[in-house]
């Protein structure tokens, strides 16, 4: 049968098991949109391509499956780039498909022409410029295979309009592109790692987003319980060890707790898994875990020894590595190490003052206790994000969706829409700030249209809080461009979009009020006035060693 290039793309997406696509049409992807007619795919019309990209990310992050977004050439592409760069840094499998000017016009500064291939190259795992309709049969499955195999990441497929309209006889469509299993870890490396673990007196397991991507939370628990190893996580790894487990040391790094960073300083072995020694996690690298030998496991060989040389490296899938390693290590209790950690936790507990109901951190913790334990939580970027990392009771890996590597304000709302689209039975809570929410507020229209179970909580401090905090602590309190003279009434804006909105001072947010908000049907927004002076502590000054944490007034 004859198919157009656009029809081939849509048939192939159906074969890939894609159900929902987020995007915006325009001149050069209209054939693709036309081919959606009569397809089993559902299209969600975003209000900005960055929103479409983050909706796709919300679907991909919450399911581990690749998700698709569409954009037209030129401004559609440039609008989408931030969301794809974000997916790249956080290893999220998104397939972006854009229209391009017809091949005869490419390179002529044609209307809405930009060099999509060139611009997407450094922010994707892989990219394609498709030059013939025949190539589509290979490129589409290949794009999915690359997005999900090994370390996941975004793949961009740019398709000129004349390739979309050209026709081809296809008798049988190729197989869908699927994950290729990682090569098995080497026995020798596993033996060496087991020996190092057995010898260590003060080991710490350092778990990152790679553990979440591998679905290896249970395997981390199994190893660490057997060998008496406490677990720290990165921002991306939160939930790998339930927050209330005695084995959990919480998050490390710039906003990690004091006891966690001090424990790492004493460690004699660091088992790094699915992490990339990001500067927000390690602080000054030369002072990070100075006494520790390093075992580094990663599916991406390029991460190993990239920033810190390891004493033992294991390339492969974390789930497989850990399942094989666990029976090789001696079952062990490490009482002295446990006692020293407990002593540090007792000496530097979570500051009571943060759990005072007048503090934003306490509100986040209360929401966490009132919410369904399976809820997905998305955040924007700023102080509120760090309080969610520190104080929300993360119980499961993969439930916190947050922009870690790129730190993109505007992530939270569209990512929540994507999570809700892909998980219609799970509640979704989006914590945002008064700065961040404005960056993709247009997606409230998409949310209202889709009528999804997304509850938006704005911590409204009248400021770009994390910037204001840095100006207070590191620029002598000289505030510039970090406080809003005038903020719009966000609850009223929400109503304009067709979403229930309320504004409340923090003091009026009783448990009953919060519970009623969380349990209400459909989308709703709560704009909470919070104190501007509240800071996120502890904080390691950028570039300093993690042991040089600054504390708040309560420790002064
Ligand atoms: C797109 C983008 N622009 C600028 C920044 C720099 N930045 C980091 S946090 C922040 C403040 C965010 O303010 P808000 O959303 O109100 O959160 P708060 O810190 O007040 O909780 C800014 C401007 C960023 N991360 N992303
Ligand atoms: Mg703010």
């Amino acid at each position: 049968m004859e198919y157009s290039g656009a029809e081939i793309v849509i048939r192939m997406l159906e074969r890939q098991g894609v159900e929902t696509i987020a995007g915006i049409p325009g001149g050069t992807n209209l054939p693709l949109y036309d081919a959606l007619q009569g397809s089993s795919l559902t299209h969600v019309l975003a209000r900005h391509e960055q929103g479409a990209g983050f909706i796709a990310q919300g679907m991909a992050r919450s399911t581990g499956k690749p998700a698709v977004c569409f954009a037209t050439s030129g401004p559609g592409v440039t609008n989408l780039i931030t969301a794809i760069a974000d997916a790249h840094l956080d290893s999220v499998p998104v397939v972006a498909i854009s229209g391009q000017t017809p091949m005869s016009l490419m390179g002529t500064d044609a209307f809405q022409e930009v060099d999509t291939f060139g611009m997407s190259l450094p922010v994707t795992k892989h990219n394609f410029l498709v030059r013939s309709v025949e190539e589509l049969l290979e490129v589409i499955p290949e794009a999915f295979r690359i997005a999900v195999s090994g370390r996941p990441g975004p793949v961009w497929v740019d398709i000129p309009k004349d390739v979309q309209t050209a026709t081809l006889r296809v008798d049988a469509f190729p197989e869908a592109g699927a994950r290729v299993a990682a090569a098995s870890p080497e026995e020798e490396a596993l033996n060496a790692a087991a020996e190092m673990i057995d010898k260590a007196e003060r080991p710490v397991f350092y778990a990152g987003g790679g553990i979440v991507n591998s679905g290896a939370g249970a395997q981390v628990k199994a190893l660490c319980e057997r060998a008496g190893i406490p677990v720290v996580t990165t921002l991306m790894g939160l939930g790998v060890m339930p927050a209330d487990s005695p084995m959990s040391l919480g998050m490390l790094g710039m906003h990690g707790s004091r006891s966690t960073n001090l424990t790492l300083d004493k460690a004699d072995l660091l088992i790094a898994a699915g992490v990339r020694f990001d500067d927000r996690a390690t602080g000054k690298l030369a002072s990070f875990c100075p006494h520790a030998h390093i075992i580094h496991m990663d599916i991406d060989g390029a991460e190993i020894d990239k920033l810190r040389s390891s004493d033992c490296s294991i390339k492969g899938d974390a789930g497989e590595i850990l399942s094989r390693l666990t029976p090789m290590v001696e079952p062990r209790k490490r009482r002295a190490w446990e006692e020293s950690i407990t002593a540090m936790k007792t000496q530097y507990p979570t500051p009571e003052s943060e759990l005072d109901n007048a503090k934003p951190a306490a509100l986040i913790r209360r929401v966490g206790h009132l919410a369904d334990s399976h809820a997905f939580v998305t955040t924007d970027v700023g102080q509120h994000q760090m309080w969610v990392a520190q104080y929300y009771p993360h119980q499961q890996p993969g439930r916190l969706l947050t922009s870690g590597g790129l730190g993109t304000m505007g992530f939270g709302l569209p990512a929540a829409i994507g999570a809700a689209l892909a998980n219609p039975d799970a509640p979704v809570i989006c914590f945002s700030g008064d700065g961040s929410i404005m960056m993709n507020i247009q997606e409230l229209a998409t949310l209202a249209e889709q009528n999804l179970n997304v509850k938006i909580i704005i911590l409204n401090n009248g400021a770009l809080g994390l910037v204001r905090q840095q100006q207070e602590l590191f620029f002598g309190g000289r505030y510039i461009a970090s406080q809003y003279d005038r903020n719009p009434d966000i609850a009223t804006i929400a109503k304009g979009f067709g979403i229930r909105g309320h504004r409340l001072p923090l003091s009026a947010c009783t448990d009953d009020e919060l519970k009623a908000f969380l349990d209400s049907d459909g989308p709703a927004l709560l704009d909470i006035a919070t104190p501007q002076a509240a800071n996120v502590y502890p904080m390691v000054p950028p570039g300093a060693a993690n042991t040089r944490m600054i504390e708040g007034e309560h420790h002064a």
Side-chain angles (χ1 to χ4, degrees):
M1 216 177 128
E2 285 282 295
Y3 292 90
S4 70
E7 285 165 343
I8 292 173
V9 173
I10 301 301
R11 288 294 92 75
M12 295 297 299
L13 293 180
E14 289 169 351
R15 288 173 79 80
Q16 286 293 150
V18 174
E19 289 171 7
T20 306
I21 293 172
I24 301 187
T28 60
N29 66 358
L30 273 176
L32 273 178
Y33 273 87
D34 194 46
L36 277 173
Q37 305 273 3
S39 144
S40 65
L41 300 173
T42 305
H43 182 268
V44 173
L45 179 59
R47 296 320 200 251
H48 186 296
E49 287 82 359
Q50 189 183 117
F54 283 138
I55 290 172
Q57 272 215 44
M59 296 192 282
R61 288 185 189 235
S62 64
T63 61
K65 294 189 196 143
V68 179
C69 52
F70 280 179
T72 194
S73 62
V77 162
T78 51
N79 275 351
L80 183 56
I81 280 185
T82 299
I84 299 303
D86 186 284
H88 188 46
L89 278 174
D90 285 348
S91 306
V92 183
V94 170
V95 176
I97 301 181
S98 55
Q100 180 56 284
T101 51
M103 284 200 291
S104 57
L105 293 180
M106 281 174 66
T108 66
D109 294 335
F111 177 63
Q112 294 192 330
E113 183 190 1
V114 293
D115 177 5
T116 305
F117 185 84
M119 290 195 303
S120 60
L121 182 69
V123 295
T124 51
K125 183 174 177 191
H126 199 75
N127 64 353
F128 296 94
L129 168 58
V130 183
R131 291 174 182 277
S132 72
V133 62
E134 289 83 4
E135 275 177 50
L136 285 170
L137 291 170
E138 283 174 33
V139 165
I140 301 295
E142 186 68 354
F144 280 83
R145 183 190 64 73
I146 294 171
V148 294
S149 298
R151 178 182 186 167
V155 178
W156 199 308
V157 184
D158 195 33
I159 314 178
K161 191 173 184 179
D162 49 346
V163 173
Q164 296 172 41
T165 52
T167 58
L168 180 71
R169 194 191 148 89
V170 184
D171 295 321
F173 280 97
E175 286 298 305
R179 186 191 308 258
V180 178
S184 285
E186 286 173 16
E187 190 70 22
E188 237 173 87
L190 293 171
N191 282 329
E195 199 176 312
M196 282 170 73
I197 293 171
D198 287 346
K199 272 199 198 141
E201 293 300 326
R202 299 181 304 282
V204 175
F205 196 98
Y206 164 29
I211 295 293
V212 179
N213 287 342
S214 157
Q219 287 86 331
V220 173
K221 259 192 223 164
L223 170 70
C224 292
E225 280 168 8
R226 179 179 172 95
I229 306 172
V231 180
V232 300
T233 78
T234 65
L235 178 63
M236 302 306 292
L238 282 168
V240 163
M241 198 49 108
D244 48 13
S245 156
M247 305 293 288
S248 168
L249 293 177
M251 184 174 73
L252 82 165
M254 180 177 272
H255 294 293
S257 63
R258 182 171 278 266
S259 58
T260 305
N261 283 335
L262 292 180
T263 299
L264 283 162
D265 198 55
K266 296 207 169 132
D268 66 354
L269 175 68
L270 187 68
I271 308 163
V275 298
R276 54 195 183 83
F277 289 81
D278 177 71
D279 55 276
R280 285 293 188 270
T282 63
K284 188 178 171 196
L285 197 57
S287 312
F288 180 61
C289 299
H291 312 296
H293 289 290
I294 311 274
I295 298 173
H296 194 173
M297 54 185 83
D298 207 289
I299 200 159
D300 180 1
E303 279 303 331
I304 293 173
D305 297 338
K306 182 181 89 177
L307 290 168
R308 173 83 184 253
S309 316
S310 58
D311 301 282
C312 166
S313 64
I314 316 175
K315 186 167 177 281
D317 174 69
E320 192 190 345
I321 295 174
L322 294 169
S323 317
R324 289 187 41 197
L325 185 59
T326 302
M328 299 167 72
V329 303
E330 281 168 22
R332 201 164 148 189
K333 293 252 175 282
R334 296 172 204 267
R335 300 243 184 262
W337 186 216
E338 248 173 58
E339 278 163 25
S340 122
I341 291 172
T342 308
M344 267 183 288
K345 282 185 175 176
T346 316
Q347 192 178 352
Y348 304 108
T350 301
E352 285 302 316
S353 53
E354 290 298 308
L355 296 175
D356 168 337
N357 274 349
K359 288 283 178 74
L363 175 101
I364 288 166
R365 175 148 302 176
R366 284 197 289 137
V367 169
H369 287 139
L370 293 166
D372 185 315
S373 61
H374 301 300
F376 284 94
V377 172
T378 75
T379 76
D380 262 303
V381 173
Q383 291 179 317
H384 64 276
Q385 177 190 31
M386 291 300 115
W387 285 316
V388 170
Q390 294 175 325
Y391 290 95
Y392 195 91
H394 308 283
Q395 293 301 324
Q396 267 174 272
R399 294 283 154 162
L400 171 68
L401 315 187
T402 193
S403 171
L406 199 64
T408 314
M409 293 168 69
F411 172 93
L413 168 59
I417 294 173
L421 283 167
N423 304 273
D425 300 327
V428 181
I429 302 169
C430 165
F431 287 99
S432 186
D434 49 329
S436 294
I437 192 68
M438 297 302 283
M439 293 238 181
N440 274 319
I441 196 153
Q442 76 287 342
E443 300 309 329
L444 286 177
T446 315
L447 176 59
E449 215 161 62
Q450 299 293 327
N451 194 31
L452 300 165
N453 186 13
V454 171
K455 302 292 182 291
I456 304 163
I457 299 178
I458 315 264
L459 299 186
N460 191 333
N461 51 8
L464 295 168
L466 205 53
V467 172
R468 194 209 59 79
Q469 169 169 348
Q470 293 216 28
Q471 290 175 345
E472 176 185 336
L473 300 177
F474 310 122
F475 292 87
R478 296 183 298 280
Y479 299 117
I480 179 159
S482 60
Q483 291 152 317
Y484 293 119
D485 292 337
R486 197 195 147 109
N487 245 341
D489 175 348
I490 303 174
T492 301
I493 292 177
K495 285 178 206 149
F497 277 105
I499 287 173
R500 279 175 294 122
H502 313 276
R503 181 169 169 81
L504 283 180
L506 189 50
S507 56
C509 292
T510 59
D511 283 3
D512 288 348
E513 194 76 45
L514 291 172
K515 186 84 182 129
F517 170 74
L518 293 171
D519 290 348
S520 62
D521 283 334
L525 178 148
L526 186 56
D527 179 20
I528 304 175
T530 59
Q532 193 178 86
N535 284 339
V536 184
Y537 289 118
M539 177 170 196
V540 178
N546 278 350
T547 45
R548 291 203 34 225
M549 286 155 284
I550 299 174
E551 293 288 346
E553 53 278 77
H554 42 269
H555 272 281

